[in-house]
Amino acid sequence: MIIHEQEITWATHKLILTNKKAIYWPAQRTLILSDVHLGKAAHFRRNGIPIPSKIHQKDLDILEILLNHYTVYKVIVVGDLIHANANGEVLDFKNFLYKFQTIEFVLIKGNHDRIADRKILDLGFRSVCDELHIEGITFVHEPDKSAKFQISGHIHPGVTVKLPTNKYFRLPAYVVSEDMIILPAFSQFTGLDTKQVFEKAVNYAVLDTGIIVVK
């Protein structure tokens, strides 16, 4: 699996956007991702909707590749770690974190993170908070258009791209403006919001083969 990168300078910091839907911040040795939605597939199966049982394992495999590829001291999950209640997928994540005990995992709580903080800490997270401030950057789950230098998630941004054959397809994307970065959903099992338009923003669309700029 090849990791493709797009380096940007934002809020005076060098950040690396990856085609694996996570940002690496070299100066802080920090990996940033959002909307993992652990347990979503199991939640759907429990309600009679046939979803592959190992879809979450692909997300964990990608996360492991990122953690092994970069020098990571901290992982910031910008909300919606757990889709609903704890289940087998969440326990798989606890076992996953056990392999990376030297890395500090931090959760910014999202609207889906309704379980008690102590249960999240029991998974192996070092801290849980509503927002986090590092080097002038604010990390929150839901984007605030009036904020300055904010990294968020929540809306699962995407773009629609037209092919030369006049067919259209949708891609997850980073939304980057002067004051805001909105992360694509890390989970493969999420929808895409291609309707919201953010003024003076650049969309970095994610493909298996790289990252493309869509203005």
Side-chain angles (χ1 to χ4, degrees):
M1 183 181 294
I2 299 174
I3 298 173
H4 296 277
E5 301 177 338
Q6 175 73 53
E7 182 179 311
I8 64 171
T9 299
W10 180 82
T12 74
H13 300 286
K14 183 177 81 170
L15 302 176
I16 297 174
L17 313 182
T18 75
N19 70 325
K20 304 308 175 189
K21 298 182 288 186
I23 294 175
Y24 182 60
W25 187 357
Q28 294 291 323
R29 292 179 172 84
T30 295
L31 191 71
I32 308 162
L33 59 145
S34 185
D35 295 278
V36 184
H37 287 281
L38 287 167
K40 184 176 182 179
H43 176 75
F44 273 58
R45 287 194 299 273
R46 191 163 54 245
N47 287 276
I49 301 173
I51 303 296
S53 60
K54 291 299 181 181
I55 192 168
H56 71 290
Q57 188 59 51
K58 294 180 181 179
D59 293 333
L60 296 185
D61 290 344
I62 291 170
L63 181 54
E64 184 166 1
I65 288 169
L66 288 166
L67 294 176
N68 288 327
H69 180 77
Y70 295 108
T71 301
V72 179
Y73 291 175
K74 178 183 291 187
V75 175
I76 302 174
V77 180
V78 193
D80 284 359
L81 171 71
I82 298 174
H83 183 77
N85 295 323
N87 53 36
E89 293 182 13
V90 177
L91 292 177
D92 286 346
F93 190 62
K94 181 176 183 177
N95 293 331
F96 174 87
L97 291 184
Y98 187 78
K99 297 187 293 184
F100 296 98
Q101 295 182 66
T102 60
I103 297 175
E104 177 186 359
F105 281 79
V106 178
L107 174 64
I108 312 301
K109 293 191 75 171
N111 54 296
H112 279 281
D113 296 312
R114 301 188 187 100
I115 70 171
D117 290 2
R118 60 178 175 78
K119 292 185 178 180
I120 295 171
L121 296 173
D122 184 58
L123 293 177
F125 274 71
R126 300 277 182 87
S127 59
V128 181
C129 53
D130 292 324
E131 63 180 51
L132 180 67
H133 303 274
I134 302 176
E135 293 288 330
I137 296 176
T138 298
F139 297 86
V140 295
H141 179 57
E142 298 189 29
D144 177 358
K145 294 181 181 180
S146 66
K148 190 171 182 67
F149 303 142
Q150 178 190 91
I151 295 179
S152 63
H154 183 60
I155 69 171
H156 308 173
V159 294
T160 301
V161 177
K162 184 179 180 181
L163 297 174
T165 58
N166 288 326
K167 290 185 178 181
Y168 293 85
F169 67 102
R170 302 193 307 159
L171 295 170
Y174 300 89
V175 177
V176 180
S177 69
E178 182 179 352
D179 292 320
M180 178 187 298
I181 295 177
I182 305 176
L183 290 156
F186 188 76
S187 171
Q188 299 177 69
F189 187 46
T190 57
L192 288 178
D193 184 341
T194 59
K195 302 299 183 183
Q196 290 199 54
V197 177
F198 293 85
E199 294 183 1
K200 299 180 181 179
V202 177
N203 298 298
Y204 292 88
V206 174
L207 303 95
D208 287 340
T209 54
I211 297 173
I212 59 174
V213 176
V214 181
K215 297 185 178 179

Coordinates of all heavy atoms in Angstrom, one line a residue, residues 13-66:
H13 N 2.3 26.4 9.7 CA 2.8 25.1 10.0 C 2.8 24.2 8.7 O 1.9 24.4 7.9 CB 1.9 24.4 11.0 CG 1.8 25.1 12.3 ND1 2.8 25.1 13.3 CD2 0.8 25.9 12.9 CE1 2.5 25.8 14.3 NE2 1.3 26.3 14.1
K14 N 3.8 23.4 8.6 CA 3.9 22.4 7.5 C 3.0 21.2 7.9 O 3.3 20.6 9.0 CB 5.3 22.0 7.3 CG 5.4 21.0 6.1 CD 6.9 20.7 5.8 CE 7.4 19.6 6.7 NZ 8.7 19.0 6.2
L15 N 2.1 20.9 7.1 CA 1.2 19.7 7.3 C 1.3 18.8 6.1 O 1.4 19.3 4.9 CB -0.2 20.1 7.5 CG -0.5 21.1 8.7 CD1 -2.0 21.4 8.8 CD2 -0.1 20.4 10.1
I16 N 1.2 17.5 6.3 CA 1.2 16.6 5.2 C -0.2 15.9 5.1 O -0.6 15.2 6.0 CB 2.3 15.5 5.4 CG1 3.7 16.2 5.3 CG2 2.2 14.5 4.3 CD1 4.8 15.3 5.7
L17 N -0.9 16.2 4.0 CA -2.2 15.5 3.7 C -1.8 14.2 3.1 O -1.0 14.1 2.2 CB -3.0 16.3 2.8 CG -3.2 17.8 3.1 CD1 -4.2 18.4 2.1 CD2 -3.7 18.1 4.5
T18 N -2.4 13.1 3.5 CA -2.2 11.8 2.9 C -3.4 11.3 2.2 O -4.6 11.7 2.5 CB -1.8 10.8 3.9 OG1 -2.9 10.3 4.7 CG2 -0.7 11.3 4.9
N19 N -3.2 10.4 1.2 CA -4.4 9.9 0.5 C -5.0 8.8 1.4 O -6.0 8.1 0.9 CB -4.0 9.3 -0.8 CG -3.1 8.1 -0.8 OD1 -2.3 8.0 0.2 ND2 -3.3 7.2 -1.7
K20 N -4.6 8.6 2.6 CA -5.3 7.7 3.5 C -6.2 8.4 4.5 O -6.6 7.9 5.5 CB -4.2 6.9 4.3 CG -3.2 6.1 3.4 CD -4.0 5.3 2.4 CE -3.0 4.6 1.4 NZ -3.7 4.0 0.3
K21 N -6.5 9.7 4.2 CA -7.5 10.5 4.9 C -7.1 10.8 6.3 O -7.9 10.8 7.2 CB -8.9 9.8 4.9 CG -9.4 9.6 3.4 CD -10.8 9.0 3.4 CE -10.8 7.6 3.7 NZ -12.1 6.9 3.5
A22 N -5.8 11.1 6.5 CA -5.2 11.5 7.7 C -4.1 12.5 7.4 O -3.5 12.4 6.4 CB -4.7 10.3 8.6
I23 N -3.9 13.4 8.4 CA -2.9 14.5 8.2 C -1.7 14.1 9.2 O -1.9 13.7 10.3 CB -3.4 15.8 8.6 CG1 -4.5 16.3 7.6 CG2 -2.3 16.9 8.7 CD1 -5.1 17.6 7.9
Y24 N -0.5 14.3 8.7 CA 0.7 14.1 9.5 C 1.3 15.5 9.7 O 1.5 16.3 8.8 CB 1.7 13.2 8.9 CG 2.9 13.0 9.8 CD1 2.8 12.5 11.1 CD2 4.2 13.4 9.4 CE1 3.9 12.3 11.9 CE2 5.3 13.2 10.2 CZ 5.1 12.7 11.5 OH 6.2 12.5 12.3
W25 N 1.5 15.8 11.0 CA 2.1 17.1 11.4 C 3.5 16.8 11.9 O 3.8 16.5 13.0 CB 1.3 17.7 12.5 CG 1.6 19.1 13.0 CD1 2.6 19.9 12.5 CD2 0.9 19.9 13.9 NE1 2.6 21.1 13.1 CE2 1.6 21.2 14.0 CE3 -0.2 19.7 14.8 CZ2 1.2 22.1 14.9 CZ3 -0.6 20.7 15.6 CH2 0.1 21.9 15.7
P26 N 4.5 17.0 11.0 CA 5.9 16.6 11.3 C 6.5 17.2 12.6 O 7.1 16.6 13.4 CB 6.7 16.9 10.1 CG 5.7 17.0 9.0 CD 4.4 17.5 9.6
A27 N 6.3 18.5 12.7 CA 6.9 19.2 13.9 C 6.4 18.7 15.2 O 7.1 18.7 16.2 CB 6.6 20.7 13.7
Q28 N 5.1 18.3 15.2 CA 4.6 17.7 16.5 C 4.6 16.2 16.5 O 4.1 15.6 17.5 CB 3.1 18.2 16.6 CG 3.0 19.7 16.8 CD 3.5 20.2 18.1 OE1 3.3 19.5 19.1 NE2 4.1 21.4 18.2
R29 N 5.0 15.6 15.4 CA 5.0 14.1 15.3 C 3.6 13.6 15.7 O 3.5 12.7 16.5 CB 6.1 13.5 16.2 CG 7.5 13.8 15.8 CD 8.6 13.2 16.7 NE 9.9 13.3 16.1 CZ 10.7 14.4 16.3 NH1 10.2 15.5 16.9 NH2 11.9 14.4 15.7
T30 N 2.6 14.2 15.0 CA 1.2 14.0 15.3 C 0.5 13.6 14.1 O 0.6 14.2 13.0 CB 0.6 15.2 16.0 OG1 1.2 15.5 17.2 CG2 -0.9 15.0 16.2
L31 N -0.4 12.5 14.2 CA -1.3 12.1 13.2 C -2.7 12.6 13.6 O -3.1 12.4 14.7 CB -1.2 10.6 13.0 CG -1.9 10.0 11.8 CD1 -1.1 10.3 10.5 CD2 -2.1 8.5 12.0
I32 N -3.4 13.1 12.6 CA -4.7 13.7 12.8 C -5.7 13.1 11.9 O -5.5 13.0 10.7 CB -4.7 15.2 12.6 CG1 -3.5 15.9 13.3 CG2 -6.0 15.9 13.0 CD1 -3.1 17.3 12.8
L33 N -6.8 12.6 12.5 CA -7.9 12.0 11.7 C -9.2 12.2 12.3 O -9.3 12.6 13.5 CB -7.6 10.5 11.5 CG -7.5 9.6 12.7 CD1 -8.1 8.2 12.4 CD2 -6.0 9.4 13.1
S34 N -10.3 11.9 11.6 CA -11.6 12.1 12.2 C -12.6 11.1 11.7 O -12.4 10.4 10.6 CB -12.1 13.5 11.7 OG -13.3 13.9 12.3
D35 N -13.7 11.0 12.4 CA -14.8 10.2 12.0 C -14.5 8.7 11.6 O -14.6 8.3 10.5 CB -15.5 10.9 10.8 CG -16.1 12.2 11.2 OD1 -17.2 12.2 11.7 OD2 -15.4 13.2 10.9
V36 N -14.0 8.0 12.7 CA -13.7 6.6 12.5 C -14.9 5.8 12.5 O -15.0 4.7 11.9 CB -12.7 6.2 13.6 CG1 -12.2 4.7 13.4 CG2 -11.5 7.1 13.7
H37 N -15.9 6.2 13.3 CA -17.2 5.5 13.4 C -17.1 4.0 13.7 O -17.7 3.2 13.0 CB -18.0 5.8 12.1 CG -18.6 7.2 12.0 ND1 -19.7 7.6 12.7 CD2 -18.1 8.3 11.4 CE1 -19.9 8.8 12.5 NE2 -19.0 9.3 11.6
L38 N -16.3 3.7 14.7 CA -16.2 2.3 15.1 C -17.6 1.8 15.5 O -18.3 2.4 16.2 CB -15.3 2.1 16.3 CG -13.8 2.3 16.0 CD1 -13.0 2.4 17.3 CD2 -13.3 1.1 15.2
G39 N -17.9 0.6 15.1 CA -19.2 -0.1 15.5 C -20.3 0.2 14.6 O -21.4 -0.3 14.8
K40 N -20.1 1.1 13.6 CA -21.3 1.5 12.7 C -21.8 0.3 11.9 O -23.0 0.0 11.8 CB -20.8 2.6 11.7 CG -22.0 3.1 10.9 CD -21.6 4.3 10.0 CE -22.7 4.8 9.2 NZ -22.3 6.0 8.3
A41 N -20.8 -0.5 11.3 CA -21.2 -1.7 10.5 C -21.9 -2.7 11.4 O -23.0 -3.2 11.0 CB -20.0 -2.3 9.8
A42 N -21.4 -2.9 12.6 CA -22.1 -3.9 13.5 C -23.5 -3.4 13.9 O -24.4 -4.2 14.0 CB -21.2 -4.1 14.7
H43 N -23.6 -2.1 14.1 CA -24.9 -1.5 14.4 C -25.9 -1.7 13.3 O -27.0 -2.1 13.6 CB -24.7 0.0 14.7 CG -26.0 0.8 14.9 ND1 -26.6 0.7 16.1 CD2 -26.7 1.6 14.1 CE1 -27.7 1.5 16.1 NE2 -27.8 2.0 14.9
F44 N -25.4 -1.6 12.1 CA -26.3 -1.8 10.9 C -26.7 -3.3 10.8 O -27.9 -3.6 10.6 CB -25.6 -1.4 9.6 CG -25.9 0.1 9.3 CD1 -25.5 1.1 10.2 CD2 -26.4 0.5 8.1 CE1 -25.6 2.4 9.9 CE2 -26.6 1.8 7.8 CZ -26.2 2.8 8.7
R45 N -25.7 -4.2 11.0 CA -26.0 -5.6 11.0 C -27.0 -6.0 12.1 O -27.9 -6.8 11.8 CB -24.7 -6.4 11.2 CG -23.8 -6.4 9.9 CD -22.8 -7.5 10.0 NE -21.9 -7.3 11.2 CZ -20.8 -6.5 11.2 NH1 -20.5 -5.9 10.1 NH2 -20.1 -6.4 12.3
R46 N -26.9 -5.4 13.2 CA -27.8 -5.7 14.3 C -29.2 -5.3 14.0 O -30.2 -5.8 14.5 CB -27.3 -5.0 15.6 CG -28.1 -5.5 16.9 CD -27.3 -5.1 18.1 NE -27.0 -3.7 18.2 CZ -25.8 -3.2 18.2 NH1 -24.7 -4.0 18.1 NH2 -25.6 -1.9 18.2
N47 N -29.3 -4.3 13.1 CA -30.7 -3.9 12.7 C -31.1 -4.5 11.3 O -32.0 -3.9 10.7 CB -30.7 -2.3 12.6 CG -30.7 -1.7 14.0 OD1 -31.7 -1.5 14.6 ND2 -29.5 -1.3 14.5
G48 N -30.5 -5.6 11.0 CA -30.9 -6.4 9.8 C -30.4 -5.9 8.5 O -30.9 -6.4 7.5
I49 N -29.4 -5.0 8.5 CA -28.8 -4.6 7.2 C -27.5 -5.3 7.0 O -26.6 -5.2 7.8 CB -28.6 -3.1 7.2 CG1 -29.9 -2.4 7.5 CG2 -28.0 -2.6 5.9 CD1 -29.8 -0.9 7.7
P50 N -27.4 -6.1 5.9 CA -26.2 -6.9 5.7 C -25.0 -6.1 5.3 O -24.9 -5.6 4.1 CB -26.6 -7.9 4.5 CG -27.7 -7.1 3.8 CD -28.4 -6.3 4.8
I51 N -24.1 -6.0 6.2 CA -22.8 -5.2 6.0 C -21.7 -6.2 6.2 O -21.7 -6.9 7.2 CB -22.7 -4.0 6.9 CG1 -23.9 -3.1 6.7 CG2 -21.4 -3.2 6.7 CD1 -24.1 -2.4 5.4
P52 N -20.6 -6.2 5.4 CA -19.5 -7.1 5.6 C -18.9 -6.9 7.0 O -18.8 -5.8 7.6 CB -18.5 -6.6 4.6 CG -19.3 -6.0 3.5 CD -20.5 -5.4 4.1
S53 N -18.6 -8.0 7.7 CA -18.3 -8.0 9.1 C -16.9 -7.5 9.4 O -16.5 -7.1 10.5 CB -18.4 -9.4 9.7 OG -17.5 -10.3 9.0
K54 N -16.0 -7.4 8.4 CA -14.6 -7.0 8.6 C -14.3 -5.7 7.9 O -13.1 -5.3 7.8 CB -13.7 -8.1 8.1 CG -13.7 -9.4 8.9 CD -13.2 -9.1 10.3 CE -13.2 -10.4 11.1 NZ -12.8 -10.2 12.5
I55 N -15.3 -4.9 7.6 CA -15.1 -3.6 7.0 C -14.2 -2.7 7.9 O -13.4 -1.9 7.4 CB -16.4 -2.9 6.6 CG1 -16.1 -1.8 5.6 CG2 -17.2 -2.5 7.8 CD1 -17.3 -1.2 4.9
H56 N -14.4 -2.8 9.2 CA -13.7 -1.9 10.1 C -12.2 -2.3 10.2 O -11.3 -1.5 10.5 CB -14.3 -1.9 11.5 CG -14.1 -3.2 12.2 ND1 -14.7 -4.4 11.9 CD2 -13.3 -3.6 13.3 CE1 -14.3 -5.4 12.7 NE2 -13.5 -4.9 13.5
Q57 N -11.9 -3.6 9.9 CA -10.6 -4.1 10.0 C -9.7 -3.4 8.9 O -8.5 -3.2 9.1 CB -10.5 -5.6 9.8 CG -9.1 -6.2 10.1 CD -8.6 -5.9 11.5 OE1 -9.3 -6.1 12.5 NE2 -7.4 -5.4 11.5
K58 N -10.3 -3.1 7.8 CA -9.5 -2.4 6.7 C -9.1 -1.0 7.2 O -8.0 -0.6 6.9 CB -10.4 -2.2 5.5 CG -10.7 -3.6 4.8 CD -11.5 -3.4 3.5 CE -11.8 -4.7 2.9 NZ -12.7 -4.5 1.7
D59 N -10.0 -0.3 8.0 CA -9.6 1.0 8.5 C -8.4 0.8 9.5 O -7.5 1.6 9.5 CB -10.8 1.6 9.2 CG -11.9 2.0 8.3 OD1 -11.6 2.3 7.1 OD2 -13.1 2.0 8.7
L60 N -8.5 -0.2 10.4 CA -7.4 -0.4 11.4 C -6.1 -0.8 10.7 O -5.1 -0.4 11.1 CB -7.8 -1.5 12.3 CG -9.1 -1.2 13.2 CD1 -9.3 -2.4 14.2 CD2 -8.9 0.1 14.0
D61 N -6.2 -1.5 9.6 CA -5.0 -1.9 8.8 C -4.3 -0.6 8.3 O -3.1 -0.5 8.3 CB -5.3 -2.8 7.7 CG -5.7 -4.2 8.2 OD1 -5.5 -4.6 9.3 OD2 -6.3 -5.0 7.4
I62 N -5.2 0.3 7.7 CA -4.6 1.5 7.2 C -4.0 2.4 8.3 O -2.9 3.0 8.1 CB -5.7 2.3 6.4 CG1 -6.1 1.6 5.2 CG2 -5.3 3.7 6.1 CD1 -7.4 2.1 4.5
L63 N -4.7 2.5 9.4 CA -4.1 3.2 10.5 C -2.8 2.6 11.0 O -1.9 3.4 11.3 CB -5.1 3.2 11.7 CG -4.7 4.0 13.0 CD1 -4.3 5.4 12.6 CD2 -5.8 4.0 14.0
E64 N -2.7 1.3 11.0 CA -1.5 0.7 11.4 C -0.3 1.0 10.5 O 0.8 1.3 10.9 CB -1.6 -0.8 11.6 CG -0.4 -1.5 12.1 CD -0.7 -2.9 12.5 OE1 -1.8 -3.4 12.4 OE2 0.3 -3.6 13.0
I65 N -0.6 1.0 9.2 CA 0.4 1.4 8.2 C 0.8 2.8 8.4 O 2.0 3.1 8.3 CB -0.2 1.2 6.7 CG1 -0.4 -0.3 6.4 CG2 0.6 1.9 5.7 CD1 -1.2 -0.6 5.2
L66 N -0.1 3.8 8.7 CA 0.3 5.1 8.9 C 1.2 5.3 10.1 O 2.2 6.0 10.1 CB -1.0 6.0 9.1 CG -1.8 6.3 7.8 CD1 -3.2 6.8 8.1 CD2 -1.1 7.2 6.9

